[in-house]
Amino acid sequence: MSESKPSNFHIVMFPWFAFGHFTPFLHLSNKLAEKGHTITFLLPAKAQKELQHLNLHPNLITLHPLTIPHVDGLPSGAATASDIPLSLDHLLVIAMDRTRDQVELVIKHTKPKLVFYDFSYWLPEITKPLGIKTINYSIVSAASIALALVPDPELQVPPKGYPSTSVVMRRHEARALSFISFPFGEGVSFYERITTSMKECDVISIRTCHEIEGKFCDYLGSQYNKPLFLTGPVLPEPAKTPLEDRWAKWLGGFQPSSVVYCAFGSQNILEKEQFQELLLGFELTGLPFLIALRPPIGASTVEEAFPEGFEERTKGRGVVSRGWVQQQTILAHPSVGCFVSHCGFGSMWESLMSDCQIVLVPQLGDQILNTRLMAEELKVGVEVEREENGWFSKENLCKAIMSVMEKDSEVGNLVRKNHVKWKNSLVNPEFMKGYTDKFAKDIQELVNK
Ligand SMILES: O=c1ccn([C@@H]2O[C@H](COP(=O)(O)OP(=O)(O)O[C@H]3OC[C@@H](O)[C@H](O)[C@H]3O)[C@@H](O)[C@H]2O)c(=O)[nH]1
């Protein structure tokens, strides 16, 4: 291996057009800019305004807007996954593929030493002839890739040698993975897109840590026969901006650790009946709650979908937000004691780094595995029981919340004890610094090769 000489170099970042991807790629860009590297960050022009506040080093990180071509079937002007329902993502990815010429021009013009990408499986075709190295950066758990996206043509769930019997899908949940064989772009399935991306890159990198996902990472490395660089969770410092006045005032009116906060990320939209059942479950707990969910299918506001009499019955102790809230700041508020989460990978890290008790209600593929990791392996939270058809009842939601919120509950004490242990390791500044320093050294060696 060549001796690594520390030097600053140029990097291009090209994440999938969704905020759940832009945000962690940008957090990683900030860490690399701190090491002195310069970065060109490719994204749809429309997303630039919404992301620039996360760019902590505008002198080193340039957000470079791409023009998103129109694809038949997409609403006019759609440029990110937030503009469309999940069912149209397969068309948005065609638009992404059709930015290839723009991406190639930027790469030829800015001459990076390294390109980070995820869904654009064709990217190494541009970089290889130019001698530029590539990293496939995954922002979902190693477990979810290891379970569903190994390069084994006879796909079984779990695949041969998969290193866990608890971080798995239950039999009736396996359909949550069926989407991977559906077309995701022109002539390519989701499975082919991701496995090609991972086969063709120089290095696979994952936003995770050995301490939590070591065995899944080792398994992936052996399946793809290539090095794995881990970045650690790469969460930003807790936001410096104060909590919105309205929430600060409202939360300030409750006892320490008494309020239950609930959010299901940036993409999930519940069926109306399930949304109503969830609200009734919160009502049943008798605890104060703050819910930040998108209006359910068919409703344009959350109020429109409230169960009858719900607002009057929970007045003064429960509130459903009309829009986006500052999740990390809310989780850090002293009155908040429990987080009911869908266990998206970002929320998973945020819950682990908080002092809140954790209740999990996964909605989609990788969230189910993240939940099993948290509830079955680490035993830091509890999962809400669902019926085989996927439905969760208000009673089961209430039961899960009370099992961690009731004083002297055995389960509550166990998950709190385990959670405190992990939280203390993860928030130790040396922990994240160790990952960033090692990652910076690894990429330096990669480009020097
Ligand atoms: O009201 C809100 C809701 C969410 N958020 C933030 O939005 C982010 C949501 O990210 P998550 O990764 O948890 O969830 P998303 O569902 O948006 O992500 C997506 O990419 C990651 C995958 O693991 C998920 O399965 C996928 O849905 C979190 O950082 C959270 O703090 C808010 O700040 N306010």
Side-chain angles (χ1 to χ4, degrees):
M1 195 180 291
S2 67
E3 184 62 22
S4 119
K5 296 183 222 75
S7 67
N8 301 333
F9 51 85
H10 191 64
I11 294 169
V12 166
M13 296 263 174
F14 185 42
W16 162 233
F17 296 164
F19 284 88
H21 293 237
F22 297 139
T23 309
F25 269 72
L26 198 44
H27 291 332
L28 179 62
S29 302
N30 284 324
K31 294 282 179 208
L32 296 176
E34 276 164 31
K35 298 283 180 196
H37 300 301
T38 54
I39 291 144
T40 298
F41 194 103
L42 303 176
L43 77 180
K46 203 175 164 185
Q48 205 175 347
K49 217 171 99 210
E50 290 169 70
L51 283 165
Q52 59 200 12
H53 70 286
L54 295 179
N55 181 358
L56 305 181
H57 303 277
N59 55 328
L60 296 170
I61 303 173
T62 307
L63 301 186
H64 181 100
L66 297 171
T67 305
I68 308 307
H70 177 72
V71 172
D72 283 345
L74 277 183
S76 136
T80 77
S82 308
D83 299 330
I84 51 171
L86 213 53
S87 58
L88 293 183
D89 274 10
H90 69 288
L91 297 178
L92 184 62
V93 82
I94 295 178
M96 182 192 212
D97 291 344
R98 290 186 189 165
T99 63
R100 180 174 172 151
D101 288 352
Q102 297 176 60
V103 173
E104 185 162 5
L105 267 182
V106 172
I107 290 175
K108 286 190 166 154
H109 179 71
T110 61
K111 301 189 175 60
K113 287 265 192 280
L114 192 56
V115 179
F116 286 73
Y117 70 109
D118 49 10
F119 285 10
S120 48
Y121 65 107
W122 37 264
L123 208 129
E125 291 171 18
I126 298 174
T127 51
K128 274 183 190 166
L130 301 170
I132 298 168
K133 299 284 190 339
T134 50
I135 291 191
N136 184 276
Y137 186 43
S138 173
I139 55 89
V140 296
S141 59
S144 59
I145 310 168
L147 185 92
L149 297 167
V150 292
D152 180 351
E154 280 177 69
L155 195 66
Q156 313 140 38
V157 176
K160 199 161 165 262
Y162 179 78
S164 174
T165 49
S166 54
V167 184
V168 290
M169 298 270 179
R170 297 185 180 132
R171 197 156 6 131
H172 63 275
E173 291 166 339
R175 66 175 177 271
L177 284 179
S178 56
F179 74 93
I180 67 170
S181 59
F182 297 163
F184 197 64
E186 287 164 305
V188 61
S189 67
F190 185 87
Y191 174 81
E192 287 159 344
R193 177 178 288 273
I194 305 299
T195 51
T196 306
S197 288
M198 294 177 79
K199 278 182 208 157
E200 296 303 320
C201 64
D202 291 292
V203 163
I204 295 171
S205 178
I206 307 183
R207 179 201 185 187
T208 192
C209 62
H210 274 292
E211 291 78 355
I212 291 183
E213 289 207 284
K215 62 185 177 190
F216 301 102
C217 295
D218 293 346
Y219 176 68
L220 269 176
S222 70
Q223 289 290 305
Y224 279 94
N225 197 20
K226 57 178 65 181
L228 238 78
F229 294 175
L230 306 189
T231 61
V234 206
L235 283 181
E237 302 293 309
K240 303 253 182 318
T241 42
L243 182 57
E244 237 184 287
D245 207 32
R246 119 171 230 234
W247 298 125
K249 273 205 189 102
W250 190 82
L251 287 170
F254 295 97
Q255 294 294 313
S257 305
S258 64
V259 178
V260 187
Y261 165 71
C262 170
F264 287 172
S266 60
Q267 292 183 354
N268 285 303
I269 302 181
L270 295 174
E271 298 279 347
K272 188 172 171 194
E273 288 72 27
Q274 188 64 89
F275 176 86
Q276 294 187 325
E277 187 79 3
L278 178 135
L279 298 193
L280 293 172
F282 275 91
E283 182 182 343
L284 213 53
T285 64
L287 298 172
F289 60 83
L290 163 53
I291 296 174
L293 290 182
R294 298 172 76 176
I297 295 172
S300 48
T301 63
V302 282
E303 291 83 357
E304 194 185 311
F306 282 170
E308 223 185 306
F310 167 80
E311 205 167 9
E312 297 75 54
R313 293 194 303 273
T314 56
K315 208 176 173 85
R317 78 164 168 98
V319 59
V320 185
S321 156
R322 284 170 186 79
W324 193 256
V325 297
Q326 296 152 281
Q327 176 158 301
Q328 271 185 278
T329 318
I330 287 180
L331 290 175
H333 193 284
S335 298
V336 178
C338 179
F339 180 19
V340 177
S341 162
H342 71 316
C343 213
F345 207 41
S347 297
M348 180 187 116
W349 291 113
E350 289 163 11
S351 67
L352 271 174
M353 291 186 183
S354 78
D355 291 321
C356 296
Q357 292 285 60
I358 304 168
V359 173
L360 301 164
V361 198
Q363 309 292 312
L364 296 169
D366 74 308
Q367 300 157 13
I368 299 177
L369 293 168
N370 303 342
T371 294
R372 302 285 143 79
L373 190 63
M374 295 279 279
E376 311 281 333
E377 291 242 330
L378 308 181
K379 297 194 181 358
V380 293
V382 297
E383 179 177 354
V384 174
E385 238 176 86
R386 284 182 190 259
E387 282 155 38
E388 292 222 343
N389 62 8
W391 173 261
F392 61 89
S393 66
K394 54 183 184 293
E395 290 83 8
N396 280 345
L397 174 63
C398 173
K399 191 169 98 187
I401 295 173
M402 297 319 284
S403 78
V404 294
M405 287 300 275
E406 259 166 3
K407 243 179 150 249
D408 302 327
S409 142
E410 203 179 315
V411 178
N413 288 338
L414 174 76
V415 293
R416 181 176 286 111
K417 193 168 126 236
N418 292 333
H419 184 178
V420 166
K421 195 185 88 199
W422 281 108
K423 186 212 157 170
N424 290 343
S425 314
L426 294 172
V427 299
N428 179 343
E430 288 307 309
F431 174 84
M432 198 52 232
K433 184 174 176 308
Y435 271 97
T436 311
D437 289 351
K438 170 86 168 55
F439 188 72
K441 187 165 163 281
D442 286 343
I443 61 170
Q444 185 79 60
E445 283 175 1
L446 175 68
V447 301
N448 285 354
K449 250 189 205 161

